[in-house]
Amino acid sequence: MALLARVTESIQSINDGVKAVRTICSGLRPGVLDDLGLAAAIEWQASEFTSRNGVLCEVSVPPVDLHLDGDRATATFRIFQECLTNVIRHAQAKSVYVDLCQEDHNILLIVKDDGIGFSETGLSNSLGSLGLLGMKERAQFCGGDVHISSSPGNGTTVTVRVPADIPRAERSETCTSS
């Protein structure tokens, strides 16, 4: 009987481990990103964020998905996740406002919180800003950039700009020949 209990306990531990790995993988790159696109993934993540943390997260996204390849969509999504992580860790915010849109040939993601803010000058010398450095590196890898605006008592705004895909019909001949 003791052997059966140990085997049952082991099977439950394995099942729990598999479930944890799936949850982690889904958090890093949710299926909704591949299935429905960046806008839907951001809406989903914002809803999860509000459910888990009780911080209101209002999202404005276009009615149709934006033209963004998989790598740039993933990078933008991961930057968004880091923004939300920073809100919980540092901002003491009551709400977050998210705007995803296309401006000219760029995708813009703007994440603004109503938290305590911080001094931008002190941040540049801080070793604790690895999350912000990672966001900037992800955007630069995609040919984009991240701008962070904050001041004590006035919250923080993160603006991510990533080049959009140019639909095939709008590409010049030099872009389509390989």
Side-chain angles (χ1 to χ4, degrees):
M1 200 62 163
L3 179 62
L4 180 59
R6 288 181 63 193
V7 168
T8 302
E9 184 178 310
S10 295
I11 290 172
Q12 185 60 47
S13 292
I14 291 169
N15 288 337
D16 291 346
V18 169
K19 185 177 178 182
V21 168
R22 285 183 179 154
T23 299
I24 291 167
C25 290
S26 175
L28 293 174
R29 184 173 173 87
V32 70
L33 184 58
D34 293 324
D35 297 341
L36 300 177
L38 180 60
I42 284 178
E43 287 180 310
W44 170 81
Q45 186 66 59
S47 177
E48 289 288 309
F49 173 80
T50 296
S51 295
R52 276 194 316 269
N53 302 297
V55 176
L56 176 66
C57 192
E58 293 184 29
V59 178
S60 173
V61 297
V64 295
D65 200 32
L66 305 167
H67 297 286
L68 205 55
D69 67 51
D71 289 341
R72 285 184 283 178
T74 299
T76 303
F77 181 77
R78 296 289 292 137
I79 292 168
F80 177 59
Q81 287 180 310
E82 184 63 31
C83 287
L84 295 180
T85 297
N86 288 340
V87 167
I88 290 303
R89 286 186 181 161
H90 309 291
Q92 300 174 23
K94 293 186 173 88
S95 56
V96 180
Y97 306 93
V98 180
D99 189 20
L100 179 69
C101 61
Q102 185 162 350
E103 181 180 271
D104 298 323
H105 295 290
N106 293 301
I107 303 299
L108 289 180
L109 173 66
I110 302 166
V111 181
K112 180 177 179 158
D113 69 60
D114 63 359
I116 61 172
F118 58 89
S119 169
E120 293 178 50
T121 56
L123 180 68
S124 61
N125 300 325
S126 170
L127 294 176
S129 61
L130 292 177
L132 298 179
L133 179 62
M135 292 184 339
K136 289 181 177 187
E137 287 177 350
R138 283 181 194 276
Q140 288 172 350
F141 180 75
C142 297
D145 60 56
V146 173
H147 176 74
I148 300 164
S149 173
S150 188
S151 63
N154 293 312
T156 301
T157 301
V158 178
T159 304
V160 181
R161 184 180 314 273
V162 177
D165 294 342
I166 300 171
R168 186 174 302 278
E170 297 176 25
R171 293 181 192 164
S172 68
E173 289 301 312
T174 57
C175 292
T176 57
S177 61
S178 303

